[in-house]
Amino acid sequence: MALFGTKDATTAHSDYEIVLEGGSSSWGKVKARAKVNVPPALPLLPADCNVKINVKPLDPAKGFVRFSAVIESIVDSTKNKLVIEADIANETKERRICVGEGSVTVGDFSHSFSFEGSVVNLFYYRSDAVRRNVPNPIYMQGRQFHDIIMKVPLDNNDVIDTWEGTLKALQTTGAFNDWIREFWFIGPAFTALNEGGQRISKIEVNSIGTQSGDKGPVGVTRWRFSHGGSGIVDSIARWAELFPADKLNRPASVEAGFRSDSQGIEVKVDGDFPGVSVDAGGGLRRILNHPLIPLVHHGMVGKFNDFTVDTQLKIVLPKGYKIRYAAPQFRSQNLEEYRWSGGAYARWVEHVCKGGTGQFEVLYAQ
């Protein structure tokens, strides 16, 4: 069993499938499965997490969408659930605003909350891979600054006790950054992102206090933080580009699962995305993304260990279409179904797993 920083070998098994819609549609279905024989270096194991995300268009021209998510997990035998519904819109090309509400459950403890905030991109980092495929990326590129106001109704004794404990902790230690990682079950994800090259600043609490609400007292916090990254974070950015708001003419969805135990980690993703292909000119269309979500975990581990891959990719084109150019080259073809495995493809996957952004390009046409 390989651990971070050891010389033991890590083996990653993964299978990917992309099924494209017909004609000039940018939509496609993506399926990804991956297993890695190394446990993530996280404080709470085992972990079992399921995620459901739906994105509904409200005004695609203005990037106005409704984002709904349900995240359920079991970490160290504790059941957790996070439910969020938020309306998100582009205020400018650099600034996105969001208003929403949700609820969080950790074991027997549960409370609702509302929030509003903004995300500002100070500058953009565009790797060659992103620049080639995405001319004007506006989602997860470069360093971002977050400014969030969160409101929690103090409507039961458990919430009140937790709120008072939070106030006391901040007054004595100012340790909001540690509190949110321990209290919220996003701690493992926080750690994994940090290990994978994503850097999240200390969370700065600008204000915290109790206010009167329509139905009783409300705990109100305003906190800011920034994040940025390099290496494998580029793959996260490329996944975000699968949700271009201007192509969202119907709801998009993702269902994902994450498992970890003493034997390793397992990831699965099924999605229906509006940004799987783009117009490449001259009657050609380009596959925008190789499905890289499991590779986030591969890269996190692969940078520190000997690394072997066993990876396959299947792309199914619309009826009557053919691949005109592929790099790496596909290994086999059966009508509109193309498969990649071994050889140059395996070398490319290993390169990406270790933080690289080597060329992956597929152009197809009738």
Side-chain angles (χ1 to χ4, degrees), residues 15-218:
D15 292 277
Y16 307 103
E17 179 179 289
I18 300 174
V19 180
L20 296 155
E21 284 196 355
S24 60
S25 173
S26 64
W27 284 77
K29 296 184 184 298
V30 175
K31 177 180 179 179
R33 300 289 186 269
K35 293 182 179 180
V36 186
N37 73 325
V38 56
L42 306 178
L44 299 177
L45 289 174
D48 188 334
C49 181
N50 292 294
V51 179
K52 292 184 179 180
I53 296 174
N54 291 284
V55 184
K56 178 182 178 181
L58 299 178
D59 188 342
K62 297 180 180 179
F64 187 20
V65 300
R66 177 158 294 159
F67 176 91
S68 303
V70 177
I71 303 173
E72 297 180 294
S73 73
I74 300 176
V75 180
D76 200 24
S77 300
T78 300
K79 293 184 179 181
N80 313 282
K81 186 176 183 179
L82 176 65
V83 180
I84 292 176
E85 183 170 273
D87 289 347
I88 306 170
N90 293 329
E91 190 172 66
T92 67
K93 288 185 177 180
E94 291 77 30
R95 178 183 173 90
R96 289 170 66 79
I97 56 176
C98 175
V99 177
E101 59 185 19
S103 65
V104 61
T105 302
V106 180
D108 295 330
F109 175 83
S110 180
H111 72 80
S112 60
F113 60 88
S114 63
F115 60 93
E116 57 185 273
S118 64
V119 178
V120 178
N121 294 292
L122 182 64
F123 63 87
Y124 290 95
Y125 165 74
R126 295 173 182 166
S127 71
D128 289 341
V130 171
R131 185 180 293 110
R132 181 172 60 248
N133 288 332
V134 188
N136 296 297
I138 62 172
Y139 288 92
M140 292 180 65
Q141 295 297 318
R143 193 166 184 82
Q144 296 182 329
F145 289 85
H146 304 257
D147 188 344
I148 299 171
I149 296 174
M150 181 170 284
K151 300 179 180 181
V152 179
L154 304 179
D155 53 9
N156 64 66
N157 290 333
D158 287 339
V159 175
I160 293 171
D161 290 344
T162 302
W163 180 251
E164 291 177 347
T166 303
L167 288 173
K168 184 177 180 180
L170 284 168
Q171 290 166 357
T172 56
T173 66
F176 187 75
N177 201 72
D178 295 330
W179 175 84
I180 196 169
R181 279 188 290 177
E182 292 176 2
F183 176 76
W184 292 65
F185 59 96
I186 62 173
F190 191 107
T191 304
L193 287 172
N194 187 65
E195 292 288 345
Q198 179 77 285
R199 293 294 177 259
I200 302 175
S201 72
K202 291 290 184 180
I203 298 173
E204 174 188 347
V205 180
N206 293 86
S207 62
I208 184 168
T210 305
Q211 299 179 3
S212 297
D214 295 337
K215 298 181 181 180
V218 178

Side-chain angles (χ1 to χ4, degrees), residues 284 322-327 329-330 340 359 361-364:
L284 295 169
K322 295 181 180 180
I323 287 180
R324 304 299 182 180
Y325 174 79
Q329 181 65 22
F330 54 86
W340 283 254
Q359 182 188 29
E361 187 162 47
V362 174
L363 299 173
Y364 67 96

Side-chain angles (χ1 to χ4, degrees), residues 269-328:
V269 179
D270 292 277
D272 186 17
F273 299 98
V276 178
S277 74
V278 293
D279 186 354
L284 295 169
R285 293 194 66 81
R286 173 183 287 116
I287 304 291
L288 178 60
N289 273 281
H290 184 284
L292 290 176
I293 276 186
L295 297 183
V296 173
H297 303 286
H298 296 186
M300 177 178 68
V301 178
K303 288 190 298 183
F304 301 104
N305 298 273
D306 292 334
F307 200 80
T308 58
V309 295
D310 175 17
T311 302
Q312 293 81 38
L313 166 67
K314 180 173 75 174
I315 294 180
V316 181
L317 301 181
K319 189 174 180 59
Y321 281 73
K322 295 181 180 180
I323 287 180
R324 304 299 182 180
Y325 174 79

